[in-house]
Amino acid sequence: MEIKITTNQILKVLCVLSWVIFIGLCVEAGALIVNTVITVFINPSGVQNFWEASDYLSNLYALDKGHFCVLTSLMIIVSVFKALMFYVILNMFYNKKLNIAQPFSNELAKFILNLFYLALGIGLFSRYAMKYAIWLQEQGAGIADLESLDIAGADVWLFMAVIFFLIVQLVKKGIEIQNENDLTI
């Protein structure tokens, strides 16, 4: 007995996974924003609510509130960009602008270009946050665990941005060829 998995089934599973990831990233971004606001403006002991990064961030907050705000702002930007990336993906699922009969479209190019910009932003802000955390470490702010700060992996995001950019160029070439074929028919 052979079970055949269709593309439509795979897309439905990917849509569900995208929702799960999107919700998780929104919770992470919201928690970072709320914890930063609470720590800076309401209760400084709120720094303990930063999960694995609480030790480093509490030392940083005690050392300098300005550096704390800069680093948490960079963490917030990275997490919001990640959530936006999955919002763009979910938006593509629900707008149904992908036409299988003509796969190369301006909507597809715009979609991938948006993913390129977001991946590039994540990579650049992650890289800056990583360099900033290392600089803070050199200044005596303690040892930063870049994984727990969710700012590690900038090179992967930048690599992904390059891949998205290449795919956008291929899609644009596909649009040109598709338009030429439409004119010759």
Side-chain angles (χ1 to χ4, degrees):
M1 181 162 111
E2 185 177 319
I3 297 175
K4 185 176 179 183
I5 299 174
T6 65
T7 304
N8 204 19
Q9 291 170 328
I10 292 172
L11 287 175
K12 287 180 182 178
V13 169
L14 288 175
C15 183
V16 170
L17 286 174
S18 295
W19 267 109
V20 170
I21 293 169
F22 174 68
I23 291 169
L25 290 171
C26 285
V27 167
E28 177 185 339
L32 283 171
I33 292 167
V34 168
N35 285 336
T36 300
V37 168
I38 287 173
T39 300
V40 172
F41 296 110
I42 299 171
N43 183 7
S45 66
V47 76
Q48 298 301 321
N49 296 329
F50 278 94
W51 302 297
E52 302 94 19
S54 64
D55 290 340
Y56 175 72
L57 291 175
S58 61
N59 291 341
L60 181 60
Y61 185 80
L63 181 69
D64 189 322
K65 292 178 181 113
H67 290 306
F68 172 83
C69 289
V70 170
L71 187 60
T72 55
S73 295
L74 291 169
M75 292 167 57
I76 289 168
I77 290 169
V78 168
S79 63
V80 167
F81 277 10
K82 288 177 185 178
L84 279 173
M85 181 176 272
F86 276 89
Y87 174 77
V88 168
I89 292 169
L90 286 169
N91 198 22
M92 190 62 161
F93 275 121
Y94 287 103
N95 283 344
K96 300 188 190 274
K97 290 185 179 179
L98 286 179
N99 184 0
I100 301 301
Q102 290 192 329
F104 296 106
S105 65
N106 288 327
E107 288 84 14
L108 179 63
K110 183 180 173 187
F111 166 71
I112 298 172
L113 193 61
N114 286 337
L115 294 180
F116 158 73
Y117 287 131
L118 289 167
L120 183 64
I122 294 167
L124 292 176
F125 280 103
S126 293
R127 179 103 171 133
Y128 181 70
M130 181 183 70
K131 293 287 186 183
Y132 191 71
I134 291 170
W135 177 81
L136 287 172
Q137 180 179 337
E138 291 170 356
Q139 303 305 311
I143 297 174
D145 180 14
L146 301 176
E147 289 290 326
S148 65
L149 296 176
D150 286 331
I151 55 174
D155 53 342
V156 175
W157 287 103
L158 293 171
F159 182 69
M160 187 186 311
V162 170
I163 290 172
F164 282 139
F165 187 73
L166 291 173
I167 292 171
V168 165
Q169 299 310 312
L170 291 173
V171 168
K172 285 182 179 181
K173 185 64 177 172
I175 291 170
E176 290 175 15
I177 292 170
Q178 188 171 282
N179 288 339
E180 288 175 10
N181 286 341
D182 288 345
L183 292 175
T184 58
I185 294 178

